[in-house]
Amino acid sequence: MPAAGEHHPAFEEYCECIFELKEDDVDVIQARIAERLQVSRPAVSEMMRRLESEGLITTDGGIRLTRAGQDLAERVVRRHRLAERFLTDVLQLSWAEAHHEAGRWEHVMSESVEAAMDRLLGSPTTCPHGNPIPGSDYIEPDASPLSSVDVGAKFVISRIPEELEFTPGLLEFLEESALVPGTNGTVTAISPDGTLTLEIGGHHVGVGAFASSRILVSA
Amino acid sequence: MPAAGEHHPAFEEYCECIFELKEDDVDVIQARIAERLQVSRPAVSEMMRRLESEGLITTDGGIRLTRAGQDLAERVVRRHRLAERFLTDVLQLSWAEAHHEAGRWEHVMSESVEAAMDRLLGSPTTCPHGNPIPGSDYIEPDASPLSSVDVGAKFVISRIPEELEFTPGLLEFLEESALVPGTNGTVTAISPDGTLTLEIGGHHVGVGAFASSRILVSA
DNA sequence: ACGGATTGTAAAGGTTCCCTAACGTCCGGT
DNA sequence: ACCGGACGTTAGGGAACCTTTACAATCCGT
Ligand SMILES: [Fe+2]
Ligand SMILES: [Fe+2]
Ligand SMILES: [Fe+2]
Ligand SMILES: [Fe+2]
């Protein structure tokens, strides 16, 4: 069962991972890739050699996607995020379920399905978590980390970066707490360890320091 | 990228194949499986041993799916046919494209997606080609092979069996010729070699002997 | 009854993708 | 200057799935 395109699922997965690490502003090194993909460091080491010999990455002075690697990664990420939109908006799956499912669909969707889904959804510019869909008309909003909001200030959730999808249970928690792109709230307290207390739709929610530093909001 | 359930794609593919051979009334022997899956006979031989040791088939006196194998096969076929319905009805893909795509989706759809898609489509009972969706309220229609229709007689296309999806280009041809379940036509001629000439929606189409013997129609 | 096709299996081997164990390097803190 | 950690790599191995080549067994039409 090869994927729709011409590349093996493993290659797609590694390129996607490199793309998202860069997007999340995390050092693109083998150790990070190993963590995200949940494989051993030797496995990554070996795969880096294969990716390089296939012309998908270069490794002189840090791991970087080549043009071909970038194209592949963008295709995979685009399909992942379109699939997430479809799964949440049309099939009414939860964030967490949609994310898991999309992680499989991204390797299986053909170009025509990608196009048809894009049409069906009205060419969305972000996934349900607010991350940009490559190839769409996404315009970078003027956003800053939730952790930089002052006590008492209002904000609108803008984006929950891909990085947070790796913390088990976090997506579920955020969705249940209505912490989804577009909703607005107020910071009611900041504890010394960086935990924020928010007020959203009449409910109060605590958000840890790490998550707060990653979630992007606008005024 | 394992499948949604607990089984490897290869196991799913083999069980599905056995299920469909039976459904098409073809001898369930290794040679047929090798042909349909486009693998060598030794590969099938080895896999039969694995499937048996996993309790998915029995081989005493012919290859037969066990309860577990049957369940797995039905799940996969159900997902394949639901996916085909979705891809043609909602995403407007052609038959041929939908079939290819569904061949990958069937190993990747989760239970919740299967359920959501079933709901979205209104619990269809057949795939676009008229083949029954396992687990649906399908009622076997009173149908007979197209080849048994007399010259001059009218008919309604009922079902294009899975078997014909393996002849390259045939699906495309049938769809373009409006030879889809539900449409009706008339047999205008039968040649000695078994080729039928049909009249469908004002157009005339020739259908070969093999296809005619498999396509099911009702009066 | 016989010769050619069809079928199943054995043997040997290959690719992809992963693992553990172990080792060398480098880097920041003390 | 020294040490613990983090990082990358080597070596050796393994599971899944497939291949080609070759060889028996079985089936079947004439
Ligand atoms: Fe995601
Ligand atoms: Fe996302
Ligand atoms: Fe199909
Ligand atoms: Fe079908």
Side-chain angles (χ1 to χ4, degrees):
Chain A
M1 305 295 92
E6 61 286 333
H7 278 290
H8 319 286
F11 283 3
E12 297 189 348
E13 201 65 14
Y14 278 88
C15 285
E16 179 191 22
C17 183
I18 293 169
F19 177 95
E20 289 179 352
L21 283 172
K22 184 95 174 286
E23 187 180 54
D24 288 345
D25 228 15
V26 176
D27 269 4
V28 183
I29 61 174
Q30 295 191 11
R32 295 299 134 266
I33 298 174
E35 282 167 13
R36 288 228 180 169
L37 296 183
Q38 309 245 63
V39 295
S40 67
R41 273 177 294 132
V44 177
S45 185
E46 184 190 330
M47 191 58 86
M48 291 303 106
R49 226 175 305 118
R50 295 222 284 135
L51 288 177
E52 179 155 33
S53 80
E54 292 283 326
L56 293 170
I57 65 171
T58 56
T59 52
D60 17 278
I63 297 166
R64 286 212 335 277
L65 292 168
T66 63
R67 182 77 217 140
Q70 182 74 17
D71 286 351
L72 178 58
E74 283 182 14
R75 264 206 356 243
V76 174
V77 171
R78 174 171 165 81
R79 287 170 192 184
H80 178 103
R81 294 183 182 167
L82 275 175
E84 276 184 333
R85 266 256 98 89
F86 169 75
L87 291 165
T88 55
D89 296 4
V90 179
L91 294 192
Q92 317 265 33
L93 262 61
S94 72
W95 275 8
E97 272 187 310
H99 180 64
H100 271 127
E101 191 85 7
R104 274 176 269 118
W105 287 32
E106 67 193 10
H107 304 296
V108 138
M109 291 167 63
S110 70
E111 191 168 347
S112 11
V113 166
E114 174 191 318
M117 220 171 248
D118 185 58
R119 205 176 323 118
L120 175 72
L121 297 169
S123 297
T125 59
T126 72
C127 81
H129 322 96
N131 295 303
I133 294 178
S136 72
D137 295 336
Y138 179 74
I139 294 162
E140 184 92 37
D142 198 18
S144 44
L146 173 56
S147 55
S148 69
V149 176
D150 296 324
V151 172
K154 284 179 172 301
F155 60 83
V156 182
I157 304 278
S158 171
R159 174 171 173 184
I160 289 144
E162 209 68 39
E163 198 174 0
L164 297 185
E165 300 186 358
F166 292 88
T167 309
L170 185 58
L171 280 190
E172 288 91 327
F173 173 73
L174 294 178
E175 187 176 22
E176 283 162 19
S177 311
L179 251 149
V180 304
T183 59
N184 46 40
T186 314
V187 176
T188 60
I190 302 181
S191 98
D193 68 357
T195 301
L196 297 195
T197 307
L198 312 177
E199 198 251 290
I200 292 187
H203 293 271
H204 291 265
V205 199
V207 177
F210 181 69
S212 309
S213 72
R214 306 297 159 150
I215 293 173
L216 297 180
V217 301
S218 56
Chain B
M1 303 296 91
E6 60 285 332
H7 278 291
H8 318 287
F11 283 2
E12 296 189 349
E13 201 65 14
Y14 278 88
C15 285
E16 180 191 22
C17 182
I18 293 169
F19 178 94
E20 289 180 352
L21 283 172
K22 184 97 174 285
E23 187 180 56
D24 288 344
D25 229 16
V26 176
D27 268 5
V28 183
I29 62 174
Q30 295 191 11
R32 296 299 132 262
I33 297 174
E35 283 167 13
R36 288 225 179 172
L37 296 184
Q38 310 244 65
V39 295
S40 66
R41 274 177 291 130
V44 177
S45 186
E46 184 190 331
M47 191 57 87
M48 289 303 106
R49 226 174 305 119
R50 294 222 284 135
L51 288 177
E52 179 155 34
S53 81
E54 292 283 326
L56 293 170
I57 64 171
T58 57
T59 51
D60 17 279
I63 297 166
R64 285 216 331 279
L65 292 167
T66 61
R67 181 77 218 138
Q70 182 74 17
D71 286 352
L72 178 58
E74 284 181 13
R75 262 207 355 244
V76 174
V77 171
R78 174 171 165 79
R79 287 170 192 185
H80 179 104
R81 295 185 180 165
L82 274 175
E84 276 183 333
R85 266 256 100 88
F86 168 75
L87 291 164
T88 56
D89 296 5
V90 179
L91 293 192
Q92 317 266 33
L93 262 61
S94 72
W95 274 9
E97 272 187 310
H99 180 63
H100 271 127
E101 191 86 5
R104 274 176 271 120
W105 287 33
E106 68 194 8
H107 304 295
V108 138
M109 292 167 62
S110 70
E111 192 168 347
S112 7
V113 166
E114 173 192 319
M117 220 170 248
D118 184 60
R119 204 178 324 118
L120 175 71
L121 297 168
S123 296
T125 60
T126 72
C127 81
H129 321 97
N131 295 303
I133 294 176
S136 73
D137 295 337
Y138 179 74
I139 294 161
E140 184 93 38
D142 198 16
S144 43
L146 174 56
S147 56
S148 70
V149 176
D150 295 325
V151 172
K154 284 180 172 299
F155 61 83
V156 182
I157 303 278
S158 171
R159 176 173 173 181
I160 289 143
E162 209 67 40
E163 198 173 2
L164 298 186
E165 301 187 356
F166 291 88
T167 309
L170 185 58
L171 280 191
E172 288 90 327
F173 173 74
L174 293 178
E175 188 176 21
E176 283 162 19
S177 310
L179 251 148
V180 304
T183 60
N184 47 39
T186 315
V187 176
T188 59
I190 302 182
S191 97
D193 69 356
T195 300
L196 296 196
T197 306
L198 313 177
E199 198 252 289
I200 292 186
H203 292 270
H204 291 264
V205 199
V207 177
F210 180 69
S212 308
S213 72
R214 305 297 160 147
I215 293 173
L216 297 180
V217 301
S218 57

